Amino acid sequence: MSAGDPAVPPSSLIVCSRNRPRFLLETIHSVLQGGEVPAEIVVVDQSDAPQSGLAALATARACEVRHLPLRSVGLARARNAGIAAARHDLLAFIDDDMWVDAGWYGALLRALLAAGPRGVVTGQVRAAEMEVPGGVAPSLMVGDAPAVYEGRVGRDVLAAGNMAIHRCAFGAVGLFDERLGAGARFPASEDNDFAVRLLDAGYRILYEPAAVLYHRSWRTKGDYARLHWSYGRGQGAFYTKHRLAGDGSMSGRMRWDLLRHLRRLPERLRGRELRLLWSDAAYVVGLFSGAAEWWLTQRRREGAG
């Protein structure tokens, strides 16, 4: 924080975690070592075993770490529980396998304050150095140019693992859809769904490149295809949810997404990039799987029976 920057007002940072105790503690320590910190960190913990390290966590910073065990699973469900438990109206989110840049929190919150109650801020998510041979970090968002998104933008622009928002936005557009997201039946795209609902309601999504997080590269090459299968299932469900709600543009988005992955397959095969070949193929199959299953099981709930 530079001398001329105003301090951010009290806010809550929500961290959702499941069965990654070491990563979680290192994420929290990273936040506490930043230039500015939230008034509280709400840890929504869906782990199978208690996170004993949290009870002994002490900090000299003006930040309370609150532990909220949750017996259910699902990232969207955990985020919603964190929203309900948070004590402040300025809310920020981070995943449990991130490291933060020292200026991350101040940049994120000041951008939110400048945007006002009708703005939502997301930031950069860069890959950290590999922690295992061939380690990968998915779900990145990089770029040094600020951006403002309004209306339908035709692509996914919100990284909910690096997000700040006013609580009142959830009252206006609803919480995260608990059918979507890691740990749910359709294990991805809860943030894409939330972003579309925000934009449809007239909110602006602002990309603040100074709010930098580093996604740890702990996943192996063997995780890649399984991860893309999950992304495909969630994305297919997301497209179908909004198509059933009357959004015809989602058919075009799904078709473009499908063709983009299919066109890469011959090139992957010629280059013997087998890991990427199987990942793209897994995404395509997952996309069809998620779309078909949402259509068969959720359409009555969407009012399109």
Side-chain angles (χ1 to χ4, degrees), residues 127-147:
E129 294 184 5
M130 289 188 295
E131 299 182 38
V132 295
V136 294
S139 303
L140 304 180
M141 184 175 287
V142 296
D144 295 327

Side-chain angles (χ1 to χ4, degrees), residues 57-111:
L57 186 64
T59 173
R61 306 297 296 271
C63 174
E64 179 184 4
V65 179
R66 299 171 54 207
H67 184 211
L68 179 64
L70 200 65
R71 299 187 65 180
S72 61
V73 298
L75 178 56
R77 183 172 283 112
R79 284 180 177 152
N80 291 343
I83 294 163
R87 293 173 177 151
H88 303 287
D89 289 333
L90 299 180
L91 306 175
F93 296 81
I94 187 175
D95 291 337
D96 68 350
D97 58 349
M98 301 285 193
W99 285 317
V100 312
D101 182 81
W104 165 70
Y105 201 72
L108 191 73
L109 265 291
R110 274 187 286 277

Side-chain angles (χ1 to χ4, degrees), residues 186-207:
F186 305 96
S189 299
E190 81 293 339
D191 46 1
N192 299 337
D193 168 70
F194 184 61
V196 167
R197 289 188 279 131
L198 284 168
L199 293 170
D200 282 352
Y203 283 77
R204 297 182 304 149
I205 296 176
L206 294 88
Y207 172 69

